[in-house]
Amino acid sequence: MESNSRQHGGMTNMRAVLVGRFGGPETLDVTEVPLPEPGPGQVRIKVAAAAVNPVDLFTRAGQVPIDPDTLPVGLGWDAAGSIDAVGAGVSGLAGGDAVIAFEDHLTKPLGPYAEYLVVDADAVAPAPRTVDATAAATLPLNATTAAQALDLADLPSGSTLLIAGAAGAVGGYAVQLAAARGLRVVALAGAGDEADVRAWGAEMFVPRSDDIAPAVRATFPDGVDAALDTVYQPADVLGAVRNGGVYINLTPPASPVATERGIRALDQIVHRDSALLAELSRLVDAGRLTLRVAETFPLAEVAAAHELAGKSGVRGRVVLIP
C-alpha cells in the first residue's frame, strides 16, 4: 500500500523499509507499519530525505553482527526533515523545526528509511539553513565520522595527514575539516579526483594507482605523522607513516591491524554527538563544508538506490525521498 501517512486526519500507519531477510537489494521491503510515538526524551521527525550509506548495504547483506532472530530491522543512519512531535522532557526542540538526525544504533526496529522517525533528542541538531533537506541528509554520519577520527588523531596544526579514500563521502569531509585545523593533507584518491580534493584543501595528491609509500616519502622523506584510512588498505598505507606515527582505521577488522616501527593503530567507532552535529551544520552554512548528492530515489525504489550505492566510483551519497 502506497498511501502517504500524516499526523492528522486519522492516519495511524506509515511506510518504512525493513530488512526481513539478508541478501541483495531485491530483499528490501517497503511496508506499512504503525506510526511510531515519541517517548520521554524523544522526538518524531517527518523525514524529508535519508542518505544511503555503505553500512546500510552491509546490514542488508548480513555482513554486520546482527542476529537473524532480530529481523526485521530498519535501515538508515542519516535523516533530514522537520520535528513532528515532541516527547516529555524535551527542551530546545519544537514542532516544525528543520533538523538533521544521526541514528547510531546498528539494530533498530525502524530507521530513517521511513516517512517518520523517532529518535532521542540528543541525536538531533538544527539543519543547515543554506542547503535543502536532500543535501543536509548526507551530513550526519559521514561528517561526524570524519570529525571524530580527527579528534582521535589529535594532531597539532602543521602536522601531516594522509587520507586514504579522500574523494569518498567520509574522506571528503576529512580533507576539509583537517585543512581547517591547519593540517597538511596528503590526499589518496582516484586520478580523476585531484581537482576536487585540492579544492577542499589537500596540499598533496597521490593517485591510488601509485605505489603509495614511495610516492608520499618523495615529498615527506620521514613519512606522514598520521594516516586516516577510510577504505581499509593498511598494507599500502602504513608504509607512508613515520616511525611512531598514528594509523586510524574506520572499518575495524576482526583482529587488530599489525603495525611496526612504533606506529599506533587506532580504530574509530563513530557515535552520535548533537553538539558536534550542530557545529558541522554551522560549518555548512559558513561555506566550509561541501555536501554532495549523487542521485535521489523515491522510497519505493530503495532497491535501485542500493544498486547504485553499491557501485564503485559513485561520488556523493545516494538519497531516498520518502
Side-chain angles (χ1 to χ4, degrees), residues 104-312:
D104 63 349
H105 294 97
L106 186 60
T107 303
K108 49 218 167 203
L110 293 170
Y113 287 24
E115 292 181 292
Y116 291 83
L117 170 69
V118 168
V119 293
D120 294 338
D122 65 1
V124 175
R129 299 184 305 275
T130 54
V131 298
D132 62 16
T134 301
T138 68
L139 181 69
L141 171 60
N142 296 290
T144 297
T145 300
Q148 291 178 348
L150 292 173
D151 289 343
L152 186 63
D154 193 24
L155 299 172
S157 179
S159 299
T160 50
L161 174 68
L162 170 65
I163 299 176
V170 174
Y173 288 128
V175 171
Q176 296 171 77
L177 292 169
R181 296 185 184 201
L183 302 182
R184 303 178 66 189
V185 176
V186 179
L188 174 63
D193 297 313
E194 181 173 3
D196 283 338
V197 297
R198 287 193 181 277
W200 297 333
E203 176 180 326
M204 177 182 172
F205 175 76
V206 177
R208 61 170 170 252
S209 58
D210 286 6
D211 194 345
I212 298 168
V216 172
R217 287 178 180 269
T219 301
F220 301 106
D222 294 332
V224 293
D225 296 309
L228 174 54
D229 190 353
T230 73
V231 291
Y232 191 58
Q233 50 186 102
D236 298 320
V237 170
L238 282 168
V241 179
R242 66 168 174 82
N243 296 351
V246 177
Y247 169 85
I248 298 176
N249 177 37
L250 301 186
T251 54
S255 57
V257 172
T259 63
E260 55 185 20
R261 297 184 288 109
I263 296 173
R264 291 183 297 134
L266 306 175
D267 291 335
Q268 163 63 16
I269 306 297
V270 67
H271 56 277
R272 67 188 180 193
D273 181 334
S274 60
L276 172 59
L277 191 54
E279 174 59 22
L280 293 168
S281 186
R282 288 190 289 268
L283 290 175
V284 172
D285 286 336
R288 294 168 60 187
L289 282 180
T290 300
L291 309 181
R292 294 176 293 160
V293 175
E295 193 167 334
T296 63
F297 290 84
L299 194 66
E301 296 179 17
V302 62
H306 270 226
E307 288 278 8
L308 177 60
K311 293 180 179 179
S312 63

